[in-house]
Amino acid sequence: MNRFLALACTTVAAAALLVIGEGVAAAAPAFQMPFPCGQVWDGQTRTNHSPANAVDFNRANDDGDAVVAALGGRVTRSESEGAVSYGNWVEIDHGNGWRSRYAHLSVRRVSVGATVTQGQLIGNVGSTGESSGPHLHFEELLNGVPQRIVFNGSQILYWGTRSYTSHNRCGGGNPYSPEEVCGSGFSRIDSAALGTQGTTYLLYNSGTGVNCVATIKAVSIGTPSSVSAFLEVQGGTRTTDSGSFSYYAGPVKKSAANQCVKWGGSVGSSAYTSPFEHCG
């Protein structure tokens, strides 16, 4: 474990890896871990944590990692408190008095009033607020009172540190969308399936005249593997983003108002290259 933040650490890491699902805790809805399927995170609980029933999650090189909704619901808070308290944080209302909180985010990717589904990207791990290193502070609350955390029907360890494997959205699905990769103002205008490996997307920002290409993986999500995205404006040079990425390649952006573009990408051995098109 590279870093655990908090006011003081009084626990000793447990050696065993827990695969969540054994034992059933009553009352709590079907919360899953706030990370994509298959990821393994160290979760720490301690009596001097505020609130004590919260958990801090860490893993190596976790700064910027995806944080996803533990359960579907409506976003009731999306706040920035600067260098104090939770820093950037999100709260989701799941109904029947239950809510979840996600704190110290580097980026908040949802707004108040938005409806989210379980496993949907809502932010990224960070170190904002009263934090001395990247981690995710997570809470489950009932009628405003923090409860002991339950994932996949099983209560996590109190008190100490243990490794947990996420079962969130294990039926498939990448937490990132091409709009999130390209940023505000971009709308998709074309796409091409890369077999069953993923999809490459062409987007356009009508306000700036900029095109963007992003390739979103559908396999090995959360695990680095070969992905690429490229964009070429007719008469210009091609720009490619390629490498071993966990979720997507891109964004690749170029000004292309009233110009034809060639675009495409790959996941593994599946690739797509368009002709020059979308010239308007």
Side-chain angles (χ1 to χ4, degrees):
M1 182 173 64
N2 62 325
R3 337 164 256 289
F4 262 126
L5 281 195
L7 304 176
C9 256
T10 60
T11 57
V12 178
L17 177 70
L18 175 66
V19 178
I20 302 171
E22 297 178 1
V24 176
F31 287 111
Q32 295 289 345
M33 285 181 65
F35 304 108
C37 176
Q39 291 188 358
V40 179
W41 288 75
D42 290 330
Q44 183 193 77
T45 57
R46 55 191 181 277
T47 56
N48 66 344
H49 202 181
S50 180
N53 283 334
V55 60
D56 278 350
F57 282 110
N58 246 157
R59 69 174 187 169
N61 303 313
D62 55 8
D63 193 12
D65 279 358
V67 176
V68 304
L71 189 67
R74 183 177 62 86
V75 177
T76 51
R77 302 289 294 271
S78 182
E79 303 285 342
S80 175
E81 299 187 72
V84 300
S85 188
Y86 288 162
N88 283 325
W89 65 287
V90 168
E91 180 182 87
I92 301 173
D93 182 353
H94 309 290
N96 298 316
W98 285 94
R99 299 191 178 202
S100 57
R101 287 181 180 171
Y102 314 75
H104 306 307
L105 302 171
S106 60
V107 178
R108 291 170 289 120
R109 298 188 178 275
V110 290
S111 301
V112 171
T115 299
V116 298
T117 59
Q118 189 171 62
Q120 181 176 331
L121 180 73
I122 61 169
N124 297 84
V125 172
S127 185
T128 57
E130 293 181 84
S131 170
S132 59
H135 72 293
L136 178 69
H137 171 104
F138 177 80
E139 301 173 26
E140 294 174 0
L141 304 96
L142 177 61
N143 298 322
V145 179
Q147 305 294 302
R148 290 199 170 187
I149 304 245
V150 170
F151 294 131
N152 204 37
S154 179
Q155 181 181 286
I156 65 172
L157 173 70
Y158 286 87
W159 308 95
T161 301
R162 184 170 287 175
S163 293
Y164 303 94
T165 300
S166 177
H167 291 175
N168 197 327
R169 202 166 164 178
C170 284
N174 191 311
Y176 290 90
S177 70
E179 289 83 0
E180 289 166 332
V181 174
C182 288
S184 177
F186 283 91
S187 299
R188 66 183 78 179
I189 58 174
D190 208 344
S191 64
L194 304 171
T196 60
Q197 307 299 296
T199 305
T200 187
Y201 296 89
L202 177 67
L203 295 86
Y204 185 65
N205 186 321
S206 59
T208 62
V210 174
N211 276 106
C212 177
V213 176
T215 300
I216 309 296
K217 293 170 58 176
V219 295
S220 302
I221 295 169
T223 301
S225 63
S226 179
V227 197
S228 73
F230 77 85
L231 178 60
E232 179 182 344
V233 179
Q234 194 164 26
T237 58
R238 179 177 297 189
T239 298
T240 301
D241 180 41
S242 64
S244 186
F245 303 132
S246 297
Y247 298 97
Y248 59 83
V252 181
K253 298 179 180 181
K254 285 183 178 289
S255 295
N258 301 313
Q259 294 178 279
C260 303
V261 296
K262 181 180 288 188
W263 59 281
S266 66
V267 177
S269 60
S270 297
Y272 173 77
T273 299
S274 79
F276 282 109
E277 58 185 2
H278 298 292
C279 303

